[in-house]
């Protein structure tokens, strides 16, 4: 894995830098607007553009040098982030500037991620696909663990614009590691029987490939449904915690929770996952749903921190298990197209969740559990009333929904037997 590790390490450093900016800008927007909806729009603009460009990006990931795509994407994203710092220095920053910069970065991510994930089959032996996916999640965990703590410590001394400049420096480091490595060609075990044709045909190929295989289609539908619940919880976790404590405690909770992601990623990096990856996916998805449910019961720092730890611990195992199935079963020369469409379909529910999360919290669930709300004398007696308790109720419902969907999906044979019914398409 000597070619993969330098590329991975550069992306880890870049992810930590991006996490610094995301945390700092999120706090800045929420404290300046006091609006969950405005805060949620950052998540919306961070995800939706990437999903829209995904099918086209997948074609380019198969046609072009994947390393070059990663370099160009990171460069444009770094420059858009730098523009926010410059506007802050000039005292001209507005909310729409942040939305625009986040949108540009999201488009870049839409091109970068299919190339990065598909490049694993070029850089890593088949037996280490699970390990490589675990290492990718380890990078995300590092951002989740270290970024809030570092950003919290730096915010008072160098302010948000200084944090963004550090983020830009991490982009430069990631570019250096990519320039150092050449991506080798890959030996294939099965043919995709596709040649470069009309662009529209190649864009639709990923859809055709997935819809022709019921196991893959069900896997995509499963993630699309459960990701909607996870996306709402992701947006509302910060406002729920800030409803009864301060930003410093928030940073600690998110960092300890991120340590769960870190340990789960380390587990996958060392063990490369279970031999029956679909069973691992189901088991850890159940733990994720239970953790989200328990997270909403009480406004208690210890309870939320503990359940956040287990929720974050399960995420890299779920994602790595799913990625390994796709990487082994999909021909390498079409992985860019197929993975891009898979990502677009699976993650499309995240922008929808971000769009609904703020209004659901502000106008529906929070009023229900206000001191004089409709549920104050019933459910409020069990989980409390006041600011943040409506969000807590929503967490309970989201966790229960994930548990129900996970049990239901496992009853479908094409989903449960996906590793047996689809042939391997990558050799060692």
């Amino acid at each position: 894995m000597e070619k993969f590790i330098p590329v991975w390490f550069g992306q880890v450093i870049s992810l930590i830098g991006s996490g610094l900016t995301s945390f700092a800008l999120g706090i800045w927007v929420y404290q300046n607007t006091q609006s969950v909806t405005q805060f949620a729009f950052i998540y919306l603009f961070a995800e939706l553009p990437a999903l829209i460009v995904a099918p086209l990006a997948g074609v380019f990931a198969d046609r072009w040098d994947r390393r070059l795509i990663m370099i160009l994407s990171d460069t444009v994203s770094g420059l858009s982030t730098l523009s926010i710092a410059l506007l802050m220095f000039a005292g001209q920053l507005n909310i729409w500037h942040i939305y625009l910069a986040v949108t540009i970065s999201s488009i870049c991510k839409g091109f970068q991620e299919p190339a990065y994930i598909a490049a694993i089959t070029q850089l890593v032996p088949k037996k280490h696909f699970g390990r490589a996916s675990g290492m990718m999640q380890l990078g995300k965990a590092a951002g989740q663990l270290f970024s809030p703590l570092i950003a919290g410590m730096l915010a008072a001394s160098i302010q948000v614009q200084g944090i963004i400049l550090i983020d830009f420096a991490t982009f430069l480091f990631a570019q250096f590691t990519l320039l150092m490595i050449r991506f080798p060609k890959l030996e294939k075990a099965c043919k995709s029987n596709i040649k470069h044709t009309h662009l529209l045909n190649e864009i639709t190929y990923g859809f055709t490939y997935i819809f022709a295989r019921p196991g893959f289609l069900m896997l995509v539908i499963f993630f699309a449904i459960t990701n909607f619940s996870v996306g709402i919880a992701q947006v509302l976790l910060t406002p729920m915690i800030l409803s009864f404590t301060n930003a410093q405690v928030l940073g600690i909770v998110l960092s300890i929770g991120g340590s769960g992601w870190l340990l789960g990623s380390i587990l996958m990096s060392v063990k490369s996952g279970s031999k029956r990856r679909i069973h691992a996916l189901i088991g850890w998805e159940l733990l994720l749903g239970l953790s989200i449910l328990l997270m909403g019961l009480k406004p208690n720092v210890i309870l939320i921190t503990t359940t956040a730890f287990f929720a974050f611990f399960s995420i890299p195992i779920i994602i790595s298990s799913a990625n390994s199935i796709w990487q082994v079963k999909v021909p390498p020369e079409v992985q860019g197209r197929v993975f891009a469409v898979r990502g677009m379909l699976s993650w499309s529910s995240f922008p929808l969740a971000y769009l609904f999360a703020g209004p659901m919290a502000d106008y529906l669930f929070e009023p229900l559990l206000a001191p004089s709300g409709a549920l104050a004398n019933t459910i409020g007696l069990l989980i409390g009333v006041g600011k943040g308790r409506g969000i807590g109720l929503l967490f309970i419902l989201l966790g229960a929904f994930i548990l129900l969907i996970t049990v239901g999906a496992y009853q479908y044979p094409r989903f449960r037997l996906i590793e047996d019914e689809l042939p391997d398409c990558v050799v060692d």
Side-chain angles (χ1 to χ4, degrees), residues 133-194:
S133 294
M135 290 175 67
M136 290 177 65
Q137 295 306 309
L138 182 61
K140 295 182 179 181
Q144 187 71 39
L145 174 61
F146 299 118
S147 296
L149 284 177
I150 297 173
M153 291 187 294
L154 294 178
S157 56
I158 64 176
Q159 301 183 326
V160 176
Q161 54 266 47
I163 291 174
I164 295 175
L165 291 178
I166 293 176
D167 182 14
F168 183 71
T170 66
F171 275 114
L172 296 178
F173 180 80
Q175 299 296 70
F176 174 76
T177 59
L178 285 170
L179 291 171
M180 295 280 292
I181 301 296
R182 292 286 184 269
F183 287 15
K185 293 183 178 180
L186 178 72
E187 295 295 330
K188 300 179 284 290
C190 63
K191 301 292 184 181
S192 62
N193 297 319
I194 185 171

Side-chain angles (χ1 to χ4, degrees), residues 292-303:
I292 292 175
L293 187 155
L294 296 175
M295 207 177 295
L297 290 180
K298 293 291 180 182
N300 181 282
V301 172
I302 295 177
L303 173 65

Side-chain angles (χ1 to χ4, degrees), residues 366-380:
E366 282 292 275
L368 286 175
L369 283 173
S372 58
L375 300 180
N377 294 323
T378 53
I379 296 176

Side-chain angles (χ1 to χ4, degrees), residues 43-44 47 51 219-237 285 288 292 343-361 364-365 394-395 397-399 401-402 405:
Y43 287 88
L44 176 66
E47 294 293 337
L51 296 174
L219 194 59
V220 166
I221 293 173
F222 172 76
F223 271 97
I225 294 174
T226 56
N227 284 345
F228 180 77
S229 298
V230 174
I232 293 177
Q234 178 185 357
V235 172
L236 298 182
L237 180 59
E285 191 80 40
L288 173 63
I292 292 175
M344 187 189 76
L345 296 175
S346 297
W347 308 105
S348 60
S349 54
F350 272 114
L352 191 63
Y354 300 153
L355 189 63
F356 278 92
M360 286 175 68
L364 179 58
F365 282 89
L394 184 52
F395 267 68
L397 296 177
L398 293 172
F401 181 67
I402 291 175
I405 291 298

Side-chain angles (χ1 to χ4, degrees), residues 51-175:
L51 296 174
I52 293 174
V53 303
L56 179 63
V59 174
F60 287 130
D62 290 334
R63 281 187 172 188
W64 292 0
D65 184 337
R66 289 164 179 166
R67 183 182 70 112
L68 179 61
I69 292 174
M70 294 175 65
I71 291 172
L72 293 176
S73 299
D74 282 347
T75 299
V76 176
S77 182
L79 292 175
S80 70
T81 302
L82 180 63
S83 68
I84 295 297
L86 297 178
L87 286 169
M88 278 191 167
F89 279 121
Q92 300 295 318
L93 183 67
N94 294 310
I95 295 293
W96 72 267
H97 292 136
I98 295 176
Y99 294 156
L100 178 60
V102 169
T103 297
I104 294 172
S105 294
S106 178
I107 293 172
C108 293
K109 183 179 73 171
F111 280 88
Q112 194 257 12
E113 284 196 348
Y116 185 24
I117 296 174
I120 287 181
T121 53
Q122 292 176 255
L123 298 171
V124 178
K126 173 184 172 181
K127 64 181 179 180
H128 292 315
F129 283 173
R131 181 167 290 126
S133 294
M135 290 175 67
M136 290 177 65
Q137 295 306 309
L138 182 61
K140 295 182 179 181
Q144 187 71 39
L145 174 61
F146 299 118
S147 296
L149 284 177
I150 297 173
M153 291 187 294
L154 294 178
S157 56
I158 64 176
Q159 301 183 326
V160 176
Q161 54 266 47
I163 291 174
I164 295 175
L165 291 178
I166 293 176
D167 182 14
F168 183 71
T170 66
F171 275 114
L172 296 178
F173 180 80
Q175 299 296 70

Side-chain angles (χ1 to χ4, degrees), residues 195-404:
K195 298 179 180 179
H196 291 320
T197 58
H198 191 274
L199 182 61
L200 181 60
N201 292 334
E202 295 195 47
I203 289 175
T204 59
Y205 178 81
F207 292 95
T208 303
Y209 186 94
I210 292 172
F211 277 77
R213 293 158 177 81
F216 276 154
L217 180 59
M218 187 59 192
L219 194 59
V220 166
I221 293 173
F222 172 76
F223 271 97
I225 294 174
T226 56
N227 284 345
F228 180 77
S229 298
V230 174
I232 293 177
Q234 178 185 357
V235 172
L236 298 182
L237 180 59
T238 292
M240 184 173 71
I241 295 173
L242 289 177
S243 70
F244 67 92
T245 187
N246 55 42
Q248 288 73 26
V249 174
L250 170 66
I252 294 172
V253 173
L254 294 181
S255 293
I256 294 176
S259 70
W261 197 328
L262 181 70
L263 292 176
S265 302
I266 291 174
L267 177 64
M268 286 299 297
S269 301
V270 174
K271 296 294 185 181
S272 196
S274 169
K275 290 184 178 180
R276 295 289 296 180
R277 295 182 178 92
I278 195 67
H279 291 165
L281 187 155
I282 289 294
W284 291 102
E285 191 80 40
L286 290 172
L287 177 62
L288 173 63
L290 180 61
S291 299
I292 292 175
L293 187 155
L294 296 175
M295 207 177 295
L297 290 180
K298 293 291 180 182
N300 181 282
V301 172
I302 295 177
L303 173 65
I304 294 176
T305 303
T306 303
T307 51
F309 174 88
F310 285 107
F312 282 123
F313 185 90
S314 65
I315 289 174
I317 303 176
I318 294 168
I319 295 175
S320 298
S321 298
N323 284 348
S324 297
I325 294 173
W326 289 87
Q327 286 162 345
V328 171
K329 303 296 182 180
V330 178
E333 68 271 26
V334 299
Q335 284 187 0
R337 274 160 282 190
V338 175
F339 289 0
V341 171
R342 174 197 68 155
M344 187 189 76
L345 296 175
S346 297
W347 308 105
S348 60
S349 54
F350 272 114
L352 191 63
Y354 300 153
L355 189 63
F356 278 92
M360 286 175 68
D362 287 336
Y363 305 118
L364 179 58
F365 282 89
E366 282 292 275
L368 286 175
L369 283 173
S372 58
L375 300 180
N377 294 323
T378 53
I379 296 176
L381 298 177
L382 299 175
I383 67 173
V385 297
K387 190 175 181 181
R389 285 296 76 213
I391 297 177
L393 173 60
L394 184 52
F395 267 68
I396 294 171
L397 296 177
L398 293 172
F401 181 67
I402 291 175
L403 292 172
L404 180 64

